[in-house]
Amino acid sequence: LDKELIKYKPRVQESKKGAPWAKEICEALQSALVDETSAQDIDRVVELISHSLSDSTINNYKSKVKRFFKFCEEIGAVPLPATEATALRYMRQLHDTKTIKAESYQVYMSAVNTMHLDLGYAAPLAGHWVDRMKKGSQYLQNSQSEGTKRYWIPADAVARVLDLGLLTSAEKEPNVQLLRACVFLALQFAWFCRSDTSTKAANKHVDTTEGITLTAVSQKGRKHLRWKPVYRIPEGAVKGLQELLREWQRWKRNWKLGDPEESLWTVKGEVKRKFNSADATAWTRLALAAVGQRPPEDFHFDGHGSRAGAATAASAVGVSLQRIC
């Protein structure tokens, strides 16, 4: 297990990451290319391949591959190369955990398949029967589920939240929890961003000098980039949003929490900490409940529903799919 999962450091020292099985990739490439390729060219090939996966994907795949190796060890099966029978038994084990949704199986499958393909073997978690098992698991989970489904956030509800935020910010002693919730939902909806991006924003990442300038400090699949994407919302493009953000920044200064490095979302009397998607869900639900917006029966609102709502609203007013995506 340790041999298969070792994190390889290529001979090209600038490359500091790679798939957990990158050592084996390098050995295979060197063996295949050594007769007609210089050592420098081999290093360059290995370097590029080692950067084909993002840091988050590498870490994710590493844990999923460890899980697969542990499963094979428990049932006495060979993990590499894995047989179709082992793959089908693994799919059954994923289903039997009852904690992994069928919609999330793909990352477990991709990790194992990528490892096999990189090392010259056929992908075991692919093909007709694996696909049928995945669909069967999804059907059974849906038929037995007692939970609720995520519902997209309506644009008119966010407009009411923005107005409520402006009213709250004008109070002498505003409800800081409600004000934060309103600012968060209004900004995230207009930004079209994931909750992981918006919750990690610091004060310095939002500039309201001319329109609204937003710097995405954390984006899925882009954490390895040295530069951070910057987005601009022209002045007046979202009525009231710039004013609301300026009021929020004013309150942050009043609370002595205006330092550029301080989280955008820390409020008076709160222990400083990192915020996450669970906080985004709590703020979203608080803001929507305050304006009387409730999801349909068997559905729920959470911190991930704003992008679907924003995309739906944009499409409804004639924005092209190219611009939305």
Side-chain angles (χ1 to χ4, degrees):
L1 176 61
D2 291 338
K3 179 181 178 182
E4 298 294 346
L5 297 178
I6 187 171
K7 189 170 184 178
Y8 175 66
K9 294 182 179 179
R11 283 184 287 148
V12 179
Q13 294 301 313
E14 293 80 6
S15 178
K16 298 182 179 178
K17 68 172 188 175
W21 49 92
K23 178 181 178 181
E24 287 75 13
I25 295 176
C26 182
E27 292 173 350
L29 285 169
Q30 287 177 325
S31 176
L33 301 176
V34 71
D35 292 338
E36 50 190 80
T37 310
S38 68
Q40 184 178 1
D41 287 339
I42 293 174
D43 279 344
R44 185 59 175 159
V45 169
V46 173
E47 180 191 20
L48 293 176
I49 291 176
S50 72
H51 283 77
S52 63
L53 300 175
S54 69
D55 288 340
S56 59
T57 300
I58 289 172
N59 292 330
N60 203 354
Y61 277 12
K62 184 185 298 184
S63 65
K64 302 302 184 291
V65 168
K66 283 183 177 179
R67 182 191 182 99
F68 180 71
F69 270 80
K70 183 179 178 181
F71 166 77
C72 291
E73 184 179 0
E74 290 173 349
I75 67 171
V78 176
L80 190 68
T83 64
E84 183 179 39
T86 299
L88 295 177
R89 292 175 70 183
Y90 184 59
M91 292 293 292
R92 177 68 191 189
Q93 194 256 8
L94 291 178
H95 174 80
D96 288 345
T97 61
K98 300 187 184 302
T99 58
I100 305 173
K101 291 185 177 180
E103 293 88 344
S104 302
Y105 287 173
Q106 189 57 54
V107 67
Y108 293 84
M109 298 162 60
S110 295
V112 175
N113 287 339
T114 299
M115 177 182 67
H116 277 73
L117 292 170
D118 283 349
L119 300 179
Y121 301 113
L125 286 164
H128 176 73
W129 294 118
V130 169
D131 185 57
R132 291 288 292 272
M133 284 195 72
K134 181 180 177 183
K135 290 180 179 178
S137 177
Q138 186 171 13
Y139 173 80
L140 288 175
Q141 287 181 356
N142 290 339
S143 64
Q144 298 167 2
S145 175
E146 296 179 358
T148 58
K149 298 179 181 179
R150 179 185 304 158
Y151 195 74
W152 54 274
I153 298 172
D156 61 328
V158 179
R160 298 200 304 275
V161 166
L162 198 160
D163 290 340
L164 176 61
L166 288 170
L167 290 173
T168 305
S169 67
E171 296 176 0
K172 187 175 182 180
E173 292 292 337
N175 180 328
V176 296
Q177 299 293 337
L178 178 59
L179 178 57
R180 172 172 60 186
C182 291
V183 175
F184 173 81
L185 182 54
L187 177 61
Q188 173 157 296
F189 193 89
W191 197 351
F192 274 66
C193 67
R194 301 172 67 248
S195 58
D196 182 59
T197 298
S198 51
T199 55
K200 288 180 172 53
N203 291 326
K204 66 181 181 180
H205 297 132
V206 177
D207 184 353
T208 58
T209 306
E210 295 182 7
I212 303 170
T213 302
L214 307 164
T215 302
V217 64
S218 174
Q219 281 195 312
K220 185 176 182 180
R222 296 186 178 182
K223 293 181 180 180
H224 63 288
L225 297 179
R226 294 181 181 179
W227 57 273
K228 300 299 180 184
V230 176
Y231 303 89
R232 291 182 175 84
I233 300 177
E235 191 160 356
V238 181
K239 184 179 179 181
L241 181 59
Q242 186 174 1
E243 180 185 353
L244 178 60
L245 288 173
R246 285 176 174 173
E247 284 295 295
W248 178 246
Q249 291 170 330
R250 177 179 68 82
W251 278 111
K252 292 278 288 184
R253 291 191 293 271
N254 289 347
W255 298 330
K256 310 300 182 184
L257 295 171
D259 185 277
E261 301 297 330
E262 177 66 51
S263 168
L264 181 63
W265 307 114
T266 309
V267 297
K268 178 180 65 173
E270 186 173 57
V271 177
K272 296 182 180 180
R273 63 183 179 86
K274 294 182 179 180
F275 299 102
N276 54 37
S277 58
D279 298 300
T281 293
W283 300 337
T284 297
R285 291 175 177 174
L286 173 60
L288 291 173
V291 297
Q293 185 70 40
R294 290 175 173 75
E297 188 176 356
D298 297 328
F299 288 87
H300 68 263
F301 290 130
D302 63 22
H304 300 288
S306 61
R307 287 198 302 172
T312 301
S315 178
V317 296
V319 179
S320 67
L321 287 177
Q322 184 177 9
R323 289 289 302 277
I324 292 174
C325 298

